[in-house]
């Protein structure tokens, strides 16, 4: 029996209340959603400050933080929604992709809640979760549409055909766009998380540094991406300028990199809508804030 066949056999209730649990990386999140569209509560406890000391996510620290934060996040969510566990109709939890140890914390906790409350447990794909977040942002949104998925670990153009069926039109062949932001931030001396800091700095600069266009001579899928070369070009530019004794304008580097990284995402998403006859583009994932 497939995942969606199992879901279809769950008891149907009008305006169901679902508790969602997310522990895939460095943030412990618990949300309570009514009827798939209304956010009753959304609590997040981040361990980013701890990871910043090491310049990136440390899986062991992330896992340990989840174990200490998940109960607190759950209690806060229930209190904010003015509900008890008895009011929850089902529990949903991120099953992957993500850090194995971190995911294990959330899955174990959600299993325990579902068993104790005798309620259904729904395993959720991290990728589908990103896509479904658009339904919360716009309650009138309905498929079909194109999604730009841009996060720390994933970069893709996805055709959302209906509520259950999606097609990945193209994805990154190496680094995800979020990884590229973090690595460029590091070479510019910016702290973790790199994305928001690069974006903040980019606002002070100009797009005046020539950087390579990705997959210029690539014979594969027209909606694929590659960020390894762009990341390397930025690193080489910074190192070469320093070796020549030339002081770099970090804001210009950040701005030029951001344009090269994001413009191609937008261009390919627009091309996908035209090629497949879609009329809506949604953006999901943490890097989506930069795309918008």
């Amino acid at each position: 029996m497939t995942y969606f066949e199992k879901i279809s056999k769950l008891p149907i209730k009008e305006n169901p209340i679902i508790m969602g649990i997310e522990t895939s990386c460095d943030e412990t999140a618990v949300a309570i959603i009514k009827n798939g569209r209304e956010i009753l509560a959304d609590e997040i406890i981040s361990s980013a400050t701890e990871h910043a000391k090491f310049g990136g996510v440390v899986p062991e620290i992330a896992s340990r933080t989840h174990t200490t934060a998940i109960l607190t996040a759950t209690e806060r969510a229930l209190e904010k929604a003015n509900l008890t566990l008895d009011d929850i109709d089902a529990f949903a939890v991120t099953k992957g992709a993500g850090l194995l140890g971190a995911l294990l914390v959330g899955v174990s906790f959600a299993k325990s809640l579902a068993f104790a409350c005798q309620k259904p447990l729904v395993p959720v794909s991290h990728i589908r979760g990103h896509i479904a977040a658009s339904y919360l942002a716009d309650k009138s949104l309905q498929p079909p549409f194109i999604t730009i998925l841009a996060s720390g670990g994933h970069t893709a153009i996805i055709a959302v055909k209906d509520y259950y069926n999606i097609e990945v039109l193209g994805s990154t062949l190496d680094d995800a766009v979020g990884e590229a932001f973090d690595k460029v931030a590091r070479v510019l001396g910016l702290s973790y998380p790199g994305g928001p800091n690069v974006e903040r700095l980019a606002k002070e600069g100009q797009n005046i540094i020539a950087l390579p266009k990705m997959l210029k001579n690539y014979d594969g899928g027209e909606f694929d991406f590659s960020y390894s070369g762009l990341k390397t070009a930025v690193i080489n530019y910074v190192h070469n300028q320093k070796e020549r004794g030339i002081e770099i304008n970090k804001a210009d580097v950040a701005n030029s990199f951001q344009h090269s990284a994001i413009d191609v995402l937008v261009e390919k998403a627009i091309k996908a809508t035209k090629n497949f006859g879609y009329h809506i583009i949604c953006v999901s994932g943490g890097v989506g804030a930069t795309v918008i």
Side-chain angles (χ1 to χ4, degrees):
M1 183 179 292
T2 68
Y3 166 72
F4 292 111
E5 287 173 335
K6 292 179 181 178
I7 297 302
S8 67
K9 293 183 180 299
L10 292 176
I12 298 176
K13 177 182 178 182
E14 186 177 359
N15 298 321
I17 297 176
I18 311 296
M19 175 178 283
I21 297 171
E22 148 66 20
T23 63
S24 63
C25 193
D26 59 341
E27 292 181 334
T28 308
V30 176
I32 299 177
I33 309 297
K34 182 178 180 180
N35 198 29
R37 295 280 182 161
E38 182 182 355
I39 303 174
L40 302 181
D42 182 12
E43 294 296 321
I44 300 175
I45 299 177
S46 176
S47 57
T49 302
E50 290 300 313
H51 299 298
K53 300 175 183 177
F54 302 92
V57 176
V58 180
E60 179 65 19
I61 292 177
S63 299
R64 289 180 179 273
T65 302
H66 288 312
T67 60
T68 59
I70 193 165
L71 179 58
T72 300
T74 302
E75 290 173 339
R76 288 178 182 175
L78 288 169
E79 182 179 358
K80 184 174 182 179
N82 194 27
L83 298 172
T84 69
L85 287 175
D86 291 335
D87 298 312
I88 305 300
D89 296 308
F91 296 92
V93 61
T94 303
K95 66 172 183 177
L99 302 174
L100 183 58
L103 289 166
L104 183 60
V105 175
V107 170
S108 299
F109 186 77
K111 279 185 175 181
S112 300
L113 286 178
F115 180 78
C117 299
Q118 291 297 290
K119 299 290 178 65
L121 176 67
V122 183
V124 178
S125 160
H126 190 159
I127 306 304
R128 289 184 178 273
H130 274 307
I131 296 170
S134 296
Y135 298 123
L136 299 174
D138 183 350
K139 293 181 174 58
S140 65
L141 176 65
Q142 294 181 348
F145 53 84
I146 295 293
T147 286
I148 300 175
L149 175 57
S151 71
H154 306 91
T155 305
I157 299 293
I158 300 173
V160 180
K161 298 181 177 181
D162 54 43
Y163 288 110
Y164 300 104
N165 298 302
I166 65 174
E167 179 183 357
V168 178
L169 303 178
S171 60
T172 183
L173 304 177
D174 38 61
D175 289 351
V177 62
E179 292 175 310
F181 267 88
D182 284 339
K183 290 171 182 176
V184 168
R186 187 175 300 178
V187 78
L188 292 178
L190 304 177
S191 60
Y192 175 87
N197 291 321
V198 169
E199 181 185 17
R200 195 175 298 114
L201 181 61
K203 293 178 181 179
E204 303 173 9
Q206 302 178 65
N207 180 23
I208 58 175
I209 300 172
L211 293 173
K213 296 294 183 180
M214 296 173 284
L215 300 181
K216 183 170 60 175
N217 299 314
Y218 178 58
D219 294 327
E222 60 181 327
F223 298 111
D224 286 334
F225 301 92
S226 172
Y227 283 97
S228 179
L230 175 60
K231 170 204 68 181
T232 301
V234 174
I235 293 173
N236 288 341
Y237 172 82
V238 172
H239 287 172
N240 289 338
Q241 294 298 92
K242 287 183 177 179
E243 287 180 359
R244 296 172 183 174
I246 302 174
E247 183 176 354
I248 65 168
N249 186 318
K250 293 184 178 181
D252 287 345
V253 175
N255 187 292
S256 300
F257 160 75
Q258 183 167 285
H259 271 87
S260 294
I262 299 303
D263 286 356
V264 67
L265 272 169
V266 176
E267 290 169 5
K268 291 194 175 186
I270 293 174
K271 184 176 182 179
T273 61
K274 294 179 179 178
N275 285 10
F276 294 93
Y278 288 39
H279 303 286
I280 300 173
I281 298 176
C282 294
V283 182
S284 60
V287 184
T290 303
V291 175
I292 295 173

